[in-house]
Amino acid sequence: MHQYCWIQLTNKAEKDGPPNLSVHSFYVIDDAKAKLEKAYPHIVSCADIIAIAARDVVTLSGGSSWEVLKGRKDGRISKASDTINLPAPTLNVTQLIQSFAKRGLSIKDLVTLSGGHTLGFSHCSSFQSRIHNFSFLHDIDPTLNIKFALELKNKCPNPNTTNPNAGEFLDSTASVFDNDYYTQILGGKGLFSSDQSLASDSRTRWIVEAFAKDPSVFFKEFADSMLKLGNVGVLENGEVRLNCKIVNS
């Protein structure tokens, strides 16, 4: 028992991985779990709660809705190192396509799900290399809109010794789920190089243009792609955690 407790206290969980350090408000999931356990003990998994919460955030922010499939199980192991499998913000289109294909997701799914960045925020560290000492020839990534790049340099000086929480929203309507993300990257204002690359590759640009032109097309495709994503890596032999922070003893 003592050894088990020590493992629980010292293990770095998936939410502690570098890509997830800026994710906050886990208390929302914990509160929902506590209420569900009181009403329906041992029935609804934390994985299902997260999937439903993701849908509700999109809907409440003005986006589409979809029927979330339930019945997921929670994993018995959570490691920060697992986040190494998440697509990095520095990947090019070919690398992104390969990463999504490993999960059974198409090129259209890639471009569609990237649109989730319409509600995103990033710390400077994820795009710093694009605005300072980008290459031998360019201090700033030449695919960036120059006015936008200068604004980013002002917010994210190098070195940044005054505000470790500095960063930028991933589109100009950060609290609204819309298609502005696609308009932004067509204008050279994609914050991550992975985002901007979608506008410069013929395999993805036509989808970006279609979504920028018609938000209803994006909304429909986003709902469809989220349903597909919700079926990736679903556990059949896991557990329904009593507390989302720790595995059942």
Side-chain angles (χ1 to χ4, degrees):
M1 181 64 180
H2 291 297
Q3 182 182 14
Y4 173 80
C5 290
W6 182 83
I7 291 172
Q8 289 296 311
L9 290 171
T10 59
N11 175 59
K12 289 289 187 179
E14 189 172 349
K15 70 177 185 179
D16 300 313
N20 293 331
L21 291 178
S22 60
V23 179
H24 301 294
S25 300
F26 286 107
Y27 71 88
V28 174
I29 304 300
D30 294 332
D31 287 351
K33 179 62 175 174
K35 290 181 173 64
L36 284 165
E37 279 300 311
K38 187 174 181 179
Y40 308 102
H42 319 318
I43 299 295
V44 184
S45 68
C46 300
D48 272 351
I49 293 172
I50 291 171
I52 294 167
R55 186 273 315 275
D56 290 351
V57 166
V58 170
T59 305
L60 291 170
S61 300
S64 49
S65 184
W66 59 93
E67 183 64 32
V68 176
L69 300 178
K70 287 83 169 179
R72 298 168 184 80
K73 300 296 185 183
D74 298 318
R76 294 188 175 94
I77 299 174
S78 180
K79 297 181 294 184
S81 59
D82 287 342
T83 57
I84 195 172
N85 296 315
L86 294 174
T90 55
L91 297 186
N92 59 38
V93 169
T94 296
Q95 293 168 322
L96 288 169
I97 290 173
Q98 292 171 345
S99 177
F100 276 66
K102 289 177 182 177
R103 296 161 176 80
L105 299 171
S106 68
I107 294 177
K108 183 179 284 187
D109 293 322
L110 157 63
V111 180
T112 302
L113 293 170
S114 295
H117 284 172
T118 184
L119 298 176
F121 174 87
S122 173
H123 289 121
C124 298
S125 57
S126 293
F127 56 89
Q128 192 93 344
S129 61
R130 300 188 70 201
I131 55 174
H132 298 288
N133 304 313
F134 176 71
S135 70
F136 180 74
L137 294 176
H138 303 280
D139 182 49
I140 295 172
D141 182 345
T143 64
L144 267 175
N145 175 289
I146 186 62
K147 182 180 178 182
F148 180 59
L150 293 175
E151 291 172 357
L152 294 177
K153 283 176 74 77
N154 186 53
K155 291 181 179 181
C156 302
N158 186 28
N160 180 9
T161 58
T162 57
N163 185 7
N165 294 317
E168 180 62 271
F169 293 105
L170 299 185
D171 80 3
S172 62
T173 56
S175 62
V176 179
F177 192 94
D178 57 19
N179 64 336
D180 184 62
Y181 164 84
Y182 299 102
T183 303
Q184 292 287 98
I185 61 177
L186 287 174
K189 296 181 180 181
L191 196 59
F192 300 152
S193 57
S194 57
D195 290 331
Q196 194 59 55
S197 69
L198 299 177
S200 58
D201 191 293
S202 60
R203 293 170 291 181
T204 52
R205 184 180 175 91
W206 69 274
I207 308 174
V208 172
E209 291 175 337
F211 290 166
K213 182 178 180 180
D214 190 343
S216 66
V217 175
F218 166 51
F219 283 8
K220 179 185 181 302
E221 293 294 342
F222 191 82
D224 292 344
S225 291
M226 283 298 289
L227 282 170
K228 290 178 66 175
L229 181 64
N231 287 325
V232 174
V234 173
L235 293 177
E236 297 179 357
N237 299 314
E239 64 183 18
V240 175
R241 291 189 186 182
L242 304 180
N243 182 334
C244 292
K245 295 178 181 178
I246 57 174
V247 298
N248 297 337
S249 58

